[in-house]
Amino acid sequence: WEQVLKVSPVGRNDNFFELGGDSLGLIRVMQRLRTAKIGLELKDLYNEASVKSLGNLARQRGAGFNKEVVVPPNLIPKDCEHITPEMLSLVKLTQEEIDKIASKVAGGARNIQDIYPLAPLQEGILFHHMMSQDGDAYLLFGQTSFDTKERLDSYLSALQKVINRHDILRTAIMWRDLSEPMQVVWREAKLEIEEVSFDPESGDIAEQQSERFSPRKNRIDVEVAPLMKAYISYDSINKRWLLYRHTHHLIADHTAMEIQGREIQAYLLGRASQLPAPLPFRNFVAQVKFGVSKEEHETFFKKLLSDVDEPTAPFGLLDVQGEGHDIVEAWHDIDDGLSKRIRIQARRLGVSAASLWHVVYARVLSAISSKNDVVFGTVLFGRMQGGEGAEQVMGVFINTLPVRIKLTQDGVEKAVKDTHKLIAEINYHEHTSLALAQKCSGVKLPTPLFSSVFNYRYFEQANLKGEERDDVIKAYEGMSGLKGEERTNYPLAVSINDLGEGFSIDLQVVKSVSPERICEYLDVAVRGFVEALERNPQLPVKSIEVLPSSERKQLEVFSGTTASYEKCKGIQEYFERQVDRTPEGIALEFEDKTMTYRELDNRANQLAHYL
């Protein structure tokens, strides 16, 4: 961060690895019609057949997955007029820095509840926020319709009450003139609500609203809490009210948004008294700060990555600083029969379906990057070691870290088991900064270690039944989700959705590549893995087919094409014959200069005579 802060301003072409930043590879819009939990949970990694291996791994790690950290108390008293360095238990700041922070907070020091550093993930998000200009790739949005103004007002009132409950929702991020970025918890933070009118003659109101406030061209001030903003508009044609809400990813991951949704529901149903006491995000910051040491993280990732000296780039795509522009998407359902077979084989091996899918993706990535030793980012749930009650804490816990899978002559069964073990070990290091992991590899900065990200996630609310379903219907009566999107700063992002019984694939890639094509590769590959596990578990991973039959047939057509070529002694004779055929054809092109075959031949002859 010392390097980051020396750059004023941070430019679009600056590389955040060079500048010392950390990274979150993944943007998730939280207001989707379907609800997905991001990242791997403990249950993703272990079923009954592998609980014993978890215990063994925990013992090997000493403290294991539940390493306890004593969280120092918050020492800032209520109504404090002057905050001193001794009151900050999670960070050391000078009095001058504290005073600068207080001067930027509405209400000054009396409105400051706590000050502490950013979690590693938040540092990466802040870096991308600083680097962006036109919009903000980490600005999440959700658009919802309401049948009445009263229902909209009730929803916004419930949201404000949830903001009042949770520290992270009253948090601002400050970095200017500070030794390192800080998150500052306000005691009071009011959601800004702006009513905006649109002309029905100019088109659909919802589309106009969505276009006006798109994160591709809008930003919010992250130094002012809450890091949310609401825009409301009346749609006179459809007789409804529209809410377009921004939430910055600095304060929420998907689980946090699920918690927020449940609490809003409780307020709408008049059940707020049943809500549990909120837990502060500072506990997680302390867990990261005082938990697994940087040295442990570094030792693990050096062992994993030190001999990796070039990036894994699908289709040669290396730009990992995207802002969500020029992305195309595809969705693909895995048929029920194949889904059942995947789960049967995972249970037989004592691994999770997530582990099997990681190997499947590694095989496809191998094919589209021309490498037998691949590295890609996997999205981790981040709450396994987030401290007591982490599963109920609002905030950003998820993380993206590298997975390395070698596609050797080992059989598919061994590959799946080895990957299962590797993912478990990575989860122990789930709060490592991506920047640190990258530096443990042999890939020289500023080249990224990988340029694709893989996310195995659950859709928990897909199968709500009985009273739970009735509560959701009652609470959100008259409301309807209209729009949401997922974006990533990586050129390729693959999400495997675990639907309880079945699976589906959500895929995003830059528009130069067909997303449907990659979905087909994944379908073919997982089918090949299942068949191998059923019939020939020792079959080498490299031999699993990736190409669908349509592409295979096309290759056969290409292979069947014949052409005769003249026999030449060397490349120079081929070139001379090309000069005779197309003397004025363009042979070389560089920037704004070109050279014909005749000109190049003359230059070559001159050089030959000189030599």
Side-chain angles (χ1 to χ4, degrees):
W1 273 106
E2 289 178 359
Q3 298 175 58
V4 173
L5 296 170
K6 289 176 183 176
V7 181
S8 180
V10 177
R12 178 179 296 275
N13 297 319
D14 292 320
N15 185 283
F16 81 109
F17 285 122
E18 287 182 315
L19 298 175
D22 193 358
S23 173
L24 167 68
L26 204 57
I27 301 297
R28 297 294 176 204
V29 172
M30 306 311 174
Q31 297 286 345
R32 302 189 64 194
L33 298 180
R34 298 186 294 176
T35 301
K37 177 170 288 184
I38 292 181
L40 297 176
E41 291 189 80
L42 193 60
K43 66 180 180 181
D44 303 337
L45 301 174
Y46 300 98
N47 50 37
E48 291 181 6
S50 57
V51 169
K52 184 177 179 181
S53 65
L54 170 60
N56 291 337
L57 180 62
R59 284 188 288 274
Q60 291 170 13
R61 292 299 183 189
F65 283 92
N66 295 309
K67 184 173 182 179
E68 292 188 11
V69 169
V70 177
V71 180
N74 179 8
L75 301 177
I76 302 177
K78 192 174 181 179
D79 298 325
C80 179
E81 296 283 357
H82 182 66
I83 300 172
T84 62
E86 295 74 23
M87 297 178 184
L88 306 182
S89 59
L90 291 178
V91 68
K92 292 182 179 180
L93 290 177
T94 65
Q95 187 64 60
E96 181 182 5
E97 288 177 311
I98 296 172
D99 293 342
K100 286 180 179 178
I101 290 173
S103 69
K104 298 176 182 178
V105 174
R110 289 176 61 89
N111 197 28
I112 295 177
Q113 179 178 313
D114 207 350
I115 302 174
Y116 42 79
L118 275 63
L121 200 70
Q122 291 175 304
E123 291 180 354
I125 299 174
L126 176 59
F127 186 91
H128 282 285
H129 169 80
M130 294 166 65
M131 191 171 64
S132 300
Q133 294 179 352
D134 299 329
D136 191 335
Y138 289 85
L139 187 59
L140 313 177
F141 81 88
Q143 188 182 42
T144 309
S145 71
F146 297 79
D147 59 357
T148 67
K149 181 64 161 52
E150 291 72 23
R151 213 180 295 276
L152 169 60
D153 290 341
S154 295
Y155 181 90
L156 291 173
S157 175
L159 174 57
Q160 182 63 60
K161 290 172 182 175
V162 174
I163 292 172
N164 297 343
R165 273 174 50 83
H166 293 277
D167 293 357
I168 190 65
L169 300 185
R170 290 179 279 105
T171 294
I173 308 297
M174 298 184 182
W175 67 92
R176 294 181 176 88
D177 301 320
L178 302 178
S179 55
E180 64 175 303
M182 290 289 127
Q183 41 192 334
V184 183
V185 182
W186 293 20
R187 295 188 184 278
E188 295 181 1
K190 186 173 177 58
L191 175 67
E192 182 179 352
I193 303 171
E194 180 179 348
E195 185 170 346
V196 182
S197 298
F198 295 94
D199 182 3
E201 297 296 324
S202 299
D204 181 72
I205 301 298
E207 288 299 322
Q208 290 188 64
Q209 187 189 56
S210 180
E211 174 66 21
R212 169 83 67 87
F213 302 115
S214 167
R216 305 286 84 79
K217 53 187 180 182
N218 283 274
R219 296 167 66 81
I220 64 174
D221 186 355
V222 300
E223 291 190 291
V224 177
L227 271 58
M228 301 180 187
K229 188 168 182 181
Y231 303 92
I232 60 174
S233 304
Y234 182 62
D235 182 353
S236 59
I237 300 299
N238 295 294
K239 308 298 182 184
R240 61 183 181 176
W241 282 86
L242 302 173
L243 168 65
Y244 193 99
R245 180 157 69 98
H246 285 151
T247 301
H248 206 285
H249 211 346
L250 279 162
I251 61 169
D253 62 15
H254 196 86
T255 298
M257 295 301 286
E258 286 183 341
I259 297 169
Q260 184 182 126
R262 290 195 295 269
E263 295 201 357
I264 289 174
Q265 177 179 318
Y267 277 104
L268 293 175
L269 293 174
R271 301 176 185 171
S273 61
Q274 300 176 16
L275 291 174
L279 296 173
F281 188 63
R282 75 186 318 271
N283 292 358
F284 170 66
V285 174
Q287 192 76 26
V288 173
K289 186 178 180 69
F290 304 121
V292 181
S293 69
K294 179 181 178 180
E295 290 72 26
E296 283 185 84
H297 292 322
E298 195 168 20
T299 298
F300 172 76
F301 282 103
K302 279 186 176 179
K303 181 178 179 181
L304 180 66
L305 302 168
S306 62
D307 59 336
V308 177
D309 56 9
E310 60 182 30
T312 300
F315 302 106
L317 301 169
L318 272 174
D319 182 9
V320 296
Q321 297 184 12
E323 295 181 1
H325 298 286
D326 300 324
I327 295 293
V328 289
E329 304 177 70
W331 300 268
H332 179 82
D333 291 324
I334 301 298
D335 69 68
D336 293 341
L338 179 56
S339 294
K340 290 179 182 177
R341 292 164 64 197
I342 291 171
R343 295 194 186 280
I344 288 171
Q345 291 306 311
R347 285 195 295 268
R348 182 181 70 81
L349 298 178
V351 303
S352 68
S355 299
L356 194 157
W357 274 106
H358 273 75
V359 185
V360 170
Y361 181 61
R363 174 66 187 98
V364 172
L365 185 57
S366 170
I368 62 179
S369 63
S370 301
K371 291 173 65 68
N372 290 324
D373 184 356
V374 298
V375 179
F376 57 93
T378 187
V379 180
L380 301 168
F381 187 50
R383 295 173 186 253
M384 289 171 61
Q385 297 182 89
E388 183 179 354
E391 70 281 356
Q392 292 298 323
V393 180
M394 292 271 200
V396 186
F397 287 76
I398 61 171
N399 200 5
T400 301
L401 288 174
V403 171
R404 180 187 186 184
I405 298 178
K406 298 180 182 180
L407 287 87
T408 62
Q409 293 301 319
D410 288 341
V412 293
E413 181 172 310
K414 184 178 185 301
V416 172
K417 287 183 175 180
D418 287 348
T419 299
H420 180 77
K421 180 181 177 182
L422 173 61
I423 294 173
E425 292 177 333
I426 291 175
N427 266 274
Y428 178 77
H429 298 276
E430 63 181 350
H431 298 144
T432 309
S433 74
L434 182 56
L436 184 149
Q438 159 109 2
K439 291 173 183 176
C440 292
S441 76
V443 176
K444 302 301 181 183
L445 298 174
T447 305
L449 177 60
F450 55 85
S451 61
S452 70
V453 68
F454 180 84
N455 184 18
Y456 188 90
R457 61 192 187 178
Y458 283 90
F459 281 72
E460 285 192 337
Q461 294 185 9
N463 299 309
L464 286 179
K465 297 178 181 179
E467 187 176 338
E468 276 189 323
R469 181 186 60 193
D470 294 340
D471 284 347
V472 171
I473 293 173
K474 182 179 179 181
Y476 295 106
E477 181 183 359
M479 307 180 200
S480 178
L482 298 181
K483 182 173 288 190
E485 69 179 10
E486 300 178 350
R487 284 296 178 263
T488 168
N489 61 292
Y490 289 95
L492 172 60
V494 176
S495 296
I496 302 298
N497 305 314
D498 188 320
L499 306 175
E501 295 183 359
F503 298 95
S504 67
I505 303 169
D506 289 355
L507 195 141
Q508 297 178 353
V509 67
V510 293
K511 64 181 181 180
S512 60
V513 178
S514 165
E516 292 83 6
R517 182 184 179 194
I518 305 176
C519 284
E520 281 192 276
Y521 292 169
L522 288 163
D523 189 292
V524 171
V526 73
R527 196 174 300 274
F529 269 94
V530 169
E531 290 176 356
L533 290 170
E534 291 171 340
R535 302 176 184 179
N536 184 12
Q538 306 309 315
L539 185 70
V541 175
K542 292 170 60 177
S543 66
I544 297 295
E545 185 58 77
V546 171
L547 290 182
S549 58
S550 57
E551 287 199 34
R552 179 64 59 187
K553 290 178 181 178
Q554 187 63 61
L555 283 177
E556 291 173 358
V557 172
F558 292 154
S559 299
T561 303
T562 59
S564 59
Y565 295 90
E566 302 175 55
K567 292 184 178 180
C568 294
K569 294 180 180 179
I571 186 66
Q572 72 277 9
E573 290 189 29
Y574 281 111
F575 177 77
E576 289 170 354
R577 294 183 184 184
Q578 185 64 29
V579 173
D580 292 337
R581 283 193 290 268
T582 59
E584 302 306 319
I586 300 301
L588 294 177
E589 185 173 355
F590 178 70
E591 294 181 345
D592 59 344
K593 299 178 181 179
T594 60
M595 187 178 293
T596 65
Y597 278 99
R598 189 197 305 279
E599 292 170 334
L600 180 56
D601 187 43
N602 290 338
R603 293 280 189 94
N605 286 334
Q606 291 172 10
L607 177 59
H609 284 300
Y610 173 79
L611 295 175

